[in-house]
Amino acid sequence: VPFLNSGAVMFFPFLNSGAVMFDTIRLYKQGKLKDFNLSDEHFRTSLDVQGLIEKKFNSFSDEFGNKVVVEYDEMKQGLNISFSAQKIANKTQIKNFCLKDKDKLLTELYKILEKKVDVDFEKMRVSRLDICSNLETEYKVKYYLQALSNIIFPIKNYKKDYYQDESLTIYNKSRRYVFYDKITEIEQKRLEKLKNTDKNRNIFRYEIQNKRGRDIKTLLKKEYLFKDLFNESVFLDCIKVQKNQYKTLFLNKNEQFNLFESDKKIIEILLETSKRNVALKFLSKNALENGVSFQYLETLLSDYYTKRGLRKMFKELKELVLLSVKTQDSLVIDLFNKFEQLSGLVA
């Protein structure tokens, strides 16, 4: 990212390329129950107080347990089909859903829904669309979440929920911006079995959840049929939305940030993120002030730590040193520039 020393500000241009990922998609088609041929063999029925059909619904899974939910609502006179494009196509929540994954997604949906519902789902209207990205970060996701939480620009009619080290959600009745550690979520909720190589990855998840069709139209300026989502222009529009919404939330409108933090701010970050260990804080402070090398500290402390304890201590120390150099602003900009690394997913 280019910067100007004289103005003590950093400028970051709009990125010209990137990638988007779809996660939860809900499709809707208006019609009466008889139009969709939902058999009692495959669907459960909910009755109203008069004993009339209120809803017919069920979920259908692939071999990995990834679900497609189908529901007919008599009151709304329509059929909904909901699923995670990412899970159905790629069988994992870690890999980004790419434009080239379209055929896998359609093949799997046809296989799961075959002989269960009589509808051409490719021509159904998109009534919910979650636009997402998995960004692999150099440092732990919790540090980026903390920086975003502290620096968010107030937006009228939106609220903020921040769960320390876990997630940040900015929301109103129609839209949610969600930021969280994807690996931590998968492990805590046991959503899938992770490979050992994936458990130590830092995957920052960014979602824009649009709950209704009109919210999609507001954001992307048009309504979509399911088959219309999978072309390059739509993906590029979604990329632009991701970047612009991120900038609105976290970057000022003049596209510049003051990178120089006061000593007090550095101290605050250090105290907020360090373990409550007096010796570690003391070593961190001295390492920062006097340029003490990690090799010297390793020799100095070898009699007081096991090799495993020493490695753990150095990992924490390096993270603390990072946070004294990486200000909140630069962490936020690091995330913004991660979009550039996803450019290959559109083509």
Side-chain angles (χ1 to χ4, degrees), residues 32 95 135 158 173 209 286:
K32 297 185 178 180
K95 182 183 177 184
L135 308 175
Y158 277 84
K173 291 182 179 180
Q209 300 176 358
N286 278 271

Side-chain angles (χ1 to χ4, degrees), residues 44 49 63 65 82-83 105 131 141 151 166 171 213 251 319 327:
R44 291 178 285 172
V49 292
E63 63 271 29
S82 305
F83 52 89
L105 175 61
I131 302 170
V141 172
I151 209 167
E166 292 186 8
Y171 64 97
L251 306 177
E319 288 175 350
T327 65

Side-chain angles (χ1 to χ4, degrees), residues 60-73:
F60 307 98
S61 303
D62 63 14
E63 63 271 29
F64 296 94
N66 299 309
K67 294 181 179 181
V68 177
V69 178
V70 181
E71 179 183 88
Y72 173 81
D73 190 316

